[in-house]
């Protein structure tokens, strides 16, 4: 039990530290460093406490159920391999925290840095000890995301932003591949549990989906570990602060890929496919990375490519997969992390103290910083593989595997040569690093005067270099047991104990090492001058920049191709879009109904009524006339539209739907008024548009006529089919039976609206409210087209005196009608529950009453006498409706449950008093508000443009500096 | 009688769709209005035609649903009328505003040859 809690502490501590540091004030540099450092130390202590259990070969597990239905548990699992890796991560993290506290400047937002760093450590630890392969991917992606944030820490710089983005795109895309791989793997195995997956190697390798899983898995691992051809993001990531480069991009995160390769070797490895893919990629990366590193002028660039090369070496080992190779791979992961982290820190010190990382400008620094110089020289020697240092040991093991292990393929035969060549380059670039920076003449013209850094900035480097030496001299005593433990955790408990010795005799690997040392030295001595003058890359190869290719691909994928596709398949024009929508609707309806509808044998039908038929002759004529005239004769079209609307209204009345008839009639009036107000702002169209007579326009019209005819025929056919079928009993019957008993009203339609389906109505009035506000908002910033700005022709040649008497008789009638209409509105409202009417028709009636006043008089006249606050009406209405609904809660009923009862009112008699009535009041108020708001908003436009005209005129007059008489004339 | 009303629905739909496909905003508005008539009558006709049925029920007592018009389509259409009014108003204002902004009353926001 105690172990399980310790594991949870181990994974929780970094995240808690991240939260704490994130909430620190931006200036609390020291506090953030202490919190981070102590939490790392605490986690490391926890890890050490677990060592006793691990050392027996036991696998510690802890499981927290998370989404059990899909087999997703928070499972953590610690074995020898992950223990060693976590120890590495935490140890380097502590050193990086110390280093960073001296490296970062006072002006940087340091707590943010530590917060990211801690979150990264947590994600990394989580990835390493995940016992569930899906969770592993989650932590894996988390490391990518936090790496993005850390690379972009100095987000003011373009390079940092580009590097961060590139790293994220490459590694996260790999992560998606890995997710797919894990999903398929989980399906094959039947479990996402890591233990079961690791035990199912034979099943997986024999499965027909094995190549797919392997491909996706390797894409994930290779992108993370910067393997060729995905290596290019790593040099770009060097825009990050150096502690980040040291921690993420050399020691830990990039090792996640090779960690995965080693971890999953028992499941996926051991096949020829695995060997070719993994070792092939690894060897290519090893060679290319080493070659390019030699030609980089930037210190961190050299180290980045060297990292790529070393990752290639580890990958190649994982591809070989023999017992010795896995052990060597784990050993090199450790060794590389140690010497490369120290080198990055040294590079950071050099950058920090001199102001440049360009090796062509640096020279002779050993005079100014002897201690740092010595440390860097030792670390570089480890990188080059000089005997008695840790890098030498794992490199020798790699050579030994390259020479001794055989599977008879050409790649296997070529490996010793490739390894030696790349090693020659490694020696050469290590030598270049040391020679150009620390030896030679004193530097000139550096941004800063070089000197030794503060002692604590150097301490982490000192410690790491000490580890290089100790491990290099006494491997068996220091790392040996832990390495064997880790290798056993990967390959199984039967693995014999490997003794790591520094002297194996004068064998082939030794010769290869010596050859590399000599060859590298010669190579550097011969070409040093030329490299310094040359471009940043090997001859010819430097022209092919993977980064450029990536950027071009990104541009094509995210910008050019989508645009082209959009241009090809889409349009910004509304007219074709509408055509497509209509055609699609016709096609889909036909496809759905094809062969499912048929005319019934005994059609239901009402006797033919000549009046009704004649009425619709008129209605159809109106509709067709409106369609015909809408382009050039808008006013006529509008009147015809009104005619069609009236016939519709009469149809409702004829077919026993008085409520609909009333509503339709009222809405018809308001719509017509609205359209009339809008007509004013449309362009004049008196003469024919020339293009209309041409063939293309005619073709378009013929096509549209065809579409319209098909749509009309279809609708007519469908309507006929359904109307002639007998009515099956439906929910309408229930409404009829219960309207009076449950809803307390005899007008079923109204009861449905305000009681049974009140929630729908609530939604509907909300829509109306939104539309009203949108109309209002749109018109507030309305600017009319220039030609509509002047006053209409009708108002121009009329004397002011005539204008005063304009519409004088109708306006008086309208004024007298105002109270009458208010009464009608009230009448509609009160009777709504039992007779046709209701809140909606009452509301529209009242709105029409207001509208009449606006029409009969000028806007100013009305508003001087009558204050309508439509927005308030709307708000109050919505509140009343909502409050009625909420009121039902008070009685323990669901939202909008209504209560009905009849009460006697003196003089009037019995009236229905349902809570639905209250709701209807809300509907009423809102409808009044919304309708009036829309109408007034449009009507005010005339007023505004008139005001605008006046303003312009007075400005013009003022500019002319004319006399008072002229101004009066205006 | 059904044949008359379904023909009417067809003609309203055809006129509406024709106008919907036209280039001028005003045509499209009129088209939408006509189309909404057609759709409203269509929905209404789903409850079949029952001319002469009493629209209001007695207070209490047994109700024979067959003697009344189907109230459900009516309630739906009542909502539809309101919503189509709202959309017409909204589209009208969009039309006016777009005319002010683009200087044309073409639905594409620019004349065809531009």
């Amino acid at each position: 039990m105690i172990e399980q809690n310790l594991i949870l502490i181990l994974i929780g501590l970094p995240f808690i530290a991240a939260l704490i540091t994130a909430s620190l004030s931006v200036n609390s540099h020291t506090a953030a460093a202490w919190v981070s450092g102590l939490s790392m130390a605490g986690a490391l202590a926890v890890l050490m406490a677990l060592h006793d259990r691990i050392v027996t070969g036991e696998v510690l597990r802890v499981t927290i159920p998370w989404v059990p239905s899909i087999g997703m548990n928070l499972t953590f699992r610690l074995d020898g391999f992950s223990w060693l890796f976590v120890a590495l991560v935490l140890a380097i993290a502590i050193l990086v925290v110390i280093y960073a506290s001296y490296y970062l400047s006072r002006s940087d937002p340091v707590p943010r840095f530590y917060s990211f760093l801690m979150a990264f450590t947590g994600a990394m630890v989580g990835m390493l000890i995940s016992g569930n392969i899906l969770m592993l991917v989650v932590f894996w992606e988390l490391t990518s995301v936090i790496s993005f944030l850390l690379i972009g820490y100095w987000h003011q710089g373009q390079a940092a932003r580009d590097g961060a983005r590139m790293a994220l795109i490459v590694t996260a895309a790999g992560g998606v591949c890995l997710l797919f791989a894990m999903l398929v793997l989980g399906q094959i195995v039947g479990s996402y549990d890591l233990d079961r997956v690791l035990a199912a190697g034979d099943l997986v390798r024999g499965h027909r989906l094995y190549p797919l899983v392997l491909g996706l898995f390797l894409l994930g691992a290779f992108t993370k570990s910067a393997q060729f051809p995905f290596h290019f993001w790593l040099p770009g990531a060097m825009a990050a602060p150096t502690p980040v480069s040291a921690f993420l991009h050399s020691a830990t995160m990039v090792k996640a890929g090779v960690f995965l390769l080693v971890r999953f070797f028992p499941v996926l490895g051991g096949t020829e496919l695995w060997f070719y893919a993994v070792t092939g990629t690894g060897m290519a990366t090893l060679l290319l990375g080493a070659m390019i590193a030699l030609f980089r002028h930037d210190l961190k660039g050299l180290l980045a490519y060297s990292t790529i090369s070393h990752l290639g070496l580890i990958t190649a080992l994982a591809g070989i997969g023999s017992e010795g190779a896995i052990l060597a791979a784990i050993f090199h992961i450790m060794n590389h992390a140690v010497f490369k982290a120290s080198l990055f820190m040294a590079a950071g010190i050099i950058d920090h103290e001199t102001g440049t990382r360009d090796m062509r400008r640096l020279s002779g620094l050993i005079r100014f910083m002897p201690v740092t110089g010595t440390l860097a020289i030792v670390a570089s020697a480890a990188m080059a593989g000089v005997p008695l240092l840790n890098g030498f040991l794992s490199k020798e093991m790699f050579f030994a595997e390259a020479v001794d292990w055989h599977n008879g393929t050409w790649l296997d035969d070529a490996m010793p040569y490739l390894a030696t060549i790349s090693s020659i380059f490694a020696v050469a670039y290590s030598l270049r690093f040391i020679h150009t920076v620390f030896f030679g003449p004193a530097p000139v013209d550096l941004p800063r005067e070089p000197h030794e850094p503060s002692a604590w900035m150097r301490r982490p480097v000192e410690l790491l270099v000490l580890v290089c030496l100790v491990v290099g001299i006494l491997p068996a005593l220091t790392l040996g047991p832990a390495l064997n433990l880790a290798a056993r955790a990967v390959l199984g408990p039967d693995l014999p104990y490997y003794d790591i010795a520094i002297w194996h005799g004068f064998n082939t690997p030794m010769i290869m090492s010596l050859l590399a040392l000599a060859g590298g030295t010669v190579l550097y001595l011969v070409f040093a001058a030329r490299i310094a003058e040359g471009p940043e890359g090997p001859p010819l190869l430097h022209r092919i920049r993977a980064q450029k290719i990536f950027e071009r691909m990104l541009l094509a994928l995210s910008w050019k191709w989508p645009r082209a596709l959009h241009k090809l398949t889409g349009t910004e024009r509304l007219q074709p879009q509408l055509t497509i929508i209509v055609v699609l609707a016709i096609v889909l309806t036909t496809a759905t109904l094809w062969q499912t509808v048929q005319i019934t044998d005994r059609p239901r039908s009402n006797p033919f009524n000549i009046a009704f038929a004649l009425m619709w002759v008129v209605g159809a004529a109106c509709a067709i006339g409106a369609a015909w005239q809408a382009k050039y004769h808008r006013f006529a079209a509008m009147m015809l539209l009104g005619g069609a609307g009236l016939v519709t209204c009469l149809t409702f009345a004829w077919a026993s739907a008085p409520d609909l008839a009333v509503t339709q009639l009222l809405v018809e009036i308001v719509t017509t008024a609205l359209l009339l107000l809008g007509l004013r702002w449309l362009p004049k169209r008196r003469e024919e548009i020339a293009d209309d007579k041409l063939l293309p326009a005619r073709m378009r019209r013929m096509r549209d006529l065809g579409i319209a005819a098909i749509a009309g025929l279809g609708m007519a056919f469908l309507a006929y089919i359904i109307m002639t079928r007998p009515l099956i009993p439906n929910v309408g019957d229930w409404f009829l039976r219960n309207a009076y008993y449950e809803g307390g009203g005899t007008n079923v339609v109204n009861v449905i609206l305000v009681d049974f389906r009140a929630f729908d109505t609530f939604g509907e009035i909300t829509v109306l409210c939104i539309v009203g506000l949108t109309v209002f908002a749109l018109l507030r910033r309305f600017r009319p087209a220039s030609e509509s700005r002047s006053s209409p022709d009708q108002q121009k040649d009329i004397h002011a005196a005539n204008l005063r008497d304009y519409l004088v008789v109708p306006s008086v009638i309208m004024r007298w009608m105002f109270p009458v209409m208010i009464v009608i509105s009230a009448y509609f409202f009160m009777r709504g529950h039992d007779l046709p009417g209701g809140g909606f028709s009452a509301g529209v009636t009242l709105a029409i009453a207001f509208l009449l006043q606006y029409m009969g008089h000028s806007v100013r006249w009305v508003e001087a006498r009558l204050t309508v606050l439509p927005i308030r009406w709307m708000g109050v209405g919505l509140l009343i409706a909502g409050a009625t609904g909420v009121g039902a809660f008070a009685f323990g009923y669901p939202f909008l449950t209504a209560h009905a009862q009849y009460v006697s009112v003196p003089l009037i008699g019995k009236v229905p008093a349902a809570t639905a009535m209250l709701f209807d009041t809300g509907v009423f108020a809102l409808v009044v508000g919304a309708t009036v708001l829309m109408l007034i908003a449009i009507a005010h436009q005339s007023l505004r443009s008139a005001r605008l005209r006046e303003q312009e005129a007075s400005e013009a007059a003022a500019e002319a500096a004319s006399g008072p008489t002229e101004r009066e004339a205006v | 009688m059904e044949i008359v009303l379904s023909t009417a629905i067809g003609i309203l739909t055809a006129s509406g769709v024709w106008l919907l496909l036209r280039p001028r905003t005003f045509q499209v508005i009129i088209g939408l209005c006509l189309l909404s008539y057609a759709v409203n009558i269509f929905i209404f006709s789903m409850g079949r035609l029952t001319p002469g049925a009493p629209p209001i029920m007695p207070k209490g007592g047994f109700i024979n649903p067959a003697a009344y018009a189907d109230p459900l389509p009516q309630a739906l259409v009542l909502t539809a009328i309101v919503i189509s009014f709202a959309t017409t108003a909204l589209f009208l204002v969009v039309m006016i505003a777009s005319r002010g902004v683009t200087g044309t009353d073409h639905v594409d926001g620019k004349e065809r040859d531009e």
Side-chain angles (χ1 to χ4, degrees), chain A residues 807-826:
Chain A
L807 278 175
V808 72
V809 176
S811 73
V812 170
I813 296 175
M814 287 176 194
R815 215 179 303 165
W816 285 349
M817 286 294 284
F818 190 53
V820 178
M821 291 195 69
I822 291 174
V823 172
I824 296 176
S825 163

Side-chain angles (χ1 to χ4, degrees), chain A residues 573-575 606 609 612 656 663 668 683 685 704 716 722 725 730 741 753 764 783 787 834 840 934, chain B residues 1-2 6 21-22 27 37 48-50 53 56-57 61 70 74 78 82 89 96 99-100 105 108 112:
Chain A
R573 305 167 72 103
L574 190 63
Q575 203 182 359
N606 287 294
N609 182 331
F612 187 75
S656 322
T663 311
E668 204 55 49
R685 182 160 292 120
D704 293 349
I722 295 173
R725 270 163 190 267
N730 59 31
Y741 297 105
L753 285 178
E764 176 201 346
R783 292 285 170 274
E787 61 194 74
D834 280 345
F840 186 76
M934 284 188 251
Chain B
M1 214 64 262
E2 275 73 7
S6 42
L21 304 178
R22 298 297 81 218
Q27 289 176 303
Y37 294 152
R48 314 299 187 269
L49 295 181
T50 45
I56 305 299
M57 305 184 308
D70 190 351
Q74 293 193 23
L78 201 69
V82 181
I96 299 173
R99 156 91 177 122
D105 67 336
D108 296 347
R112 183 168 282 277

